[in-house]
Amino acid sequence: MPEFFAQSREDQREALLAAAERSGRPLHLLEKDVWVVWALRQLFAGPHAQDLVFKGGTSLSKAYGVIRRFSEDVDPTYDIRAIAPDLIGKAQSPWPTSRSQEKKWSKTIRQRLADLASGRLAPEVAAALAEQGLPARVRAEGEQVFIDYEALGQGTGYVLPSVLLEFGARSTGEPNEPRPVVCDAAQHLPDVSFPEATPQVMRPERTFWEKATAIHVFCAQGNFRGGARFARHWHDVTRRDAAGFVDSAAADRALALAVAAHKSIFFAESTPDGAPIDYGAAVTGALALAPSGNARQTLAEDYQCMVEDGLLLDGAEPFAALLQRCQALADKVNAAVRGSA
């Protein structure tokens, strides 16, 4: 069985064109998905695998099949116990105990991650690319590593030919479990061998609370940490409901409170008038998932860009319908957590 990357560039393109025709998905998204899985294979078969956990929307799509959209970035968490054992040892806890200590920890962790990204992670990925003769370059920017590949196909420009490995290291990544990951094109081309990986993946229940509290902050502030291309988070939280993960997340009070405590320490946020955002309230019956006013318009514009570039694998629901689902989901979760209190 021929390996995808061992074929000529023309044969790779022909293979992806065939997969695109059979799947109804754009070639440029199938191509980027191959690079995402290749990157996961390098990370979780490499020397840092024991300290990494795969999280975020791409983990929900690739490892659990919960969401029906293309997810392009890889969010690996480097276990805080591995990157900052000296800080944890002094505090006798994996979390800082004060705001001033959090600032010190975060500064130290960011610098260590940046050093790790530029000094080891990026060079290791670059060496793998060179060894396999693949048409891509690697660059490190702070805690982020980018794999910029030579694209076989182009979309609208919303999705770039670059895989972002966005490393974090301010949690343990628990709970997690190993899950198999394969390329989306593989099921449509059984005679071609595509990259595969088995990363350690954060459980969807924790991912739900992390995403839901991030949305809660957007609803209060009108902007999203990390810049553009954020509408995917609203799509993701609604799709987890159908899979049953929202019910189990709402029932796990200890997990919800742990996420709230973690975010209160490492991701403290304020409303436009300066009031602190209460993560504890968000997980105990006051969760907001449907923004209004200018925040709603900002979200609507980003959602339309996502739809136009073909990221949703099923038919795209109208934006108003998505927000209705989000409001209903918030009502359901708030009722469930109040009832279990």
Side-chain angles (χ1 to χ4, degrees):
M1 181 183 298
E3 293 187 1
F4 176 77
F5 280 125
Q7 299 183 72
S8 68
R9 296 274 292 169
E10 184 57 33
D11 286 345
Q12 290 177 26
R13 179 176 171 78
E14 289 298 320
L16 291 180
L17 281 171
E21 183 177 354
R22 296 169 189 175
S23 66
R25 297 184 55 192
L27 182 152
H28 73 288
L29 297 188
L30 291 171
E31 179 184 16
K32 186 162 189 177
D33 177 72
V34 173
W35 282 101
V36 165
V37 179
W38 183 91
L40 284 170
R41 184 176 67 184
Q42 301 310 308
L43 287 179
F44 287 91
H48 308 280
Q50 65 180 1
D51 298 320
L52 291 174
V53 173
F54 179 30
K55 58 174 282 190
T58 309
S59 74
L60 296 174
S61 172
K62 300 301 299 178
Y64 288 99
V66 172
I67 60 176
R68 292 286 297 161
R69 69 165 176 88
F70 178 73
S71 190
E72 56 180 318
D73 297 332
V74 176
D75 296 324
T77 285
Y78 209 98
D79 193 330
I80 190 172
R81 295 168 296 191
I83 205 164
D86 52 331
L87 300 179
I88 291 171
K90 292 178 182 178
Q92 297 182 335
S93 166
W95 320 123
T97 56
S98 67
R99 183 64 177 158
S100 61
Q101 190 179 66
E102 181 276 323
K103 291 181 179 179
K104 177 183 177 182
W105 281 35
S106 292
K107 181 179 179 181
T108 300
I109 288 169
R110 281 196 297 268
Q111 186 58 58
R112 290 180 184 179
L113 266 181
D115 293 342
L116 185 66
S118 62
R120 296 188 61 186
L121 293 166
E124 287 165 3
V125 173
L129 289 169
E131 181 181 353
Q132 298 172 41
L134 302 184
R137 295 177 296 105
V138 179
R139 55 190 168 93
E141 296 182 4
E143 305 103 296
Q144 300 176 330
V145 173
F146 296 84
I147 303 173
D148 303 320
Y149 59 89
E150 296 179 15
L152 296 167
Q154 300 293 331
T156 67
Y158 187 74
V159 172
L160 302 175
S162 180
V163 175
L164 165 60
L165 310 178
E166 190 167 15
F167 291 90
R170 285 180 282 184
S171 78
T172 63
E174 297 170 321
N176 56 66
E177 62 184 350
R179 301 282 297 188
V181 171
V182 299
C183 296
D184 293 343
Q187 62 178 310
H188 305 288
L189 298 171
D191 295 330
V192 178
S193 176
F194 287 91
E196 298 180 355
T198 308
Q200 201 72 17
V201 186
M202 182 180 286
R203 285 283 307 169
E205 290 85 356
R206 182 177 183 112
T207 307
F208 168 77
W209 280 119
E210 291 201 349
K211 289 228 176 193
T213 49
I215 290 174
H216 181 85
V217 171
F218 178 90
C219 291
Q221 293 181 332
N223 56 65
F224 204 88
R225 179 190 288 267
R229 301 193 300 173
F230 46 80
R232 60 190 185 273
H233 300 296
W234 277 257
H235 170 274
D236 292 358
V237 295
T238 60
R239 270 46 182 190
R240 256 167 290 193
D241 192 23
F245 290 119
V246 170
D247 291 335
S248 54
D252 194 336
R253 303 306 307 129
L255 176 61
L257 292 171
V259 171
H262 179 262
K263 289 225 169 177
S264 297
I265 295 169
F266 282 115
F267 300 97
E269 299 282 357
S270 300
T271 61
D273 61 6
I277 291 176
D278 188 347
Y279 286 107
V283 304
T284 55
L287 180 66
L289 297 178
S292 58
N294 291 336
R296 181 187 180 100
Q297 182 59 35
T298 299
L299 178 60
E301 292 170 359
D302 192 67
Y303 181 76
Q304 185 59 34
C305 290
M306 181 176 70
V307 171
E308 290 175 354
D309 205 31
L311 270 70
L312 297 183
L313 308 187
D314 299 324
E317 62 193 319
F319 178 72
L322 174 64
L323 284 202
Q324 287 177 355
R325 292 182 64 174
C326 288
Q327 184 59 59
L329 180 59
D331 293 341
K332 171 185 172 179
V333 171
N334 289 333
V337 298
R338 289 172 190 146
S340 64

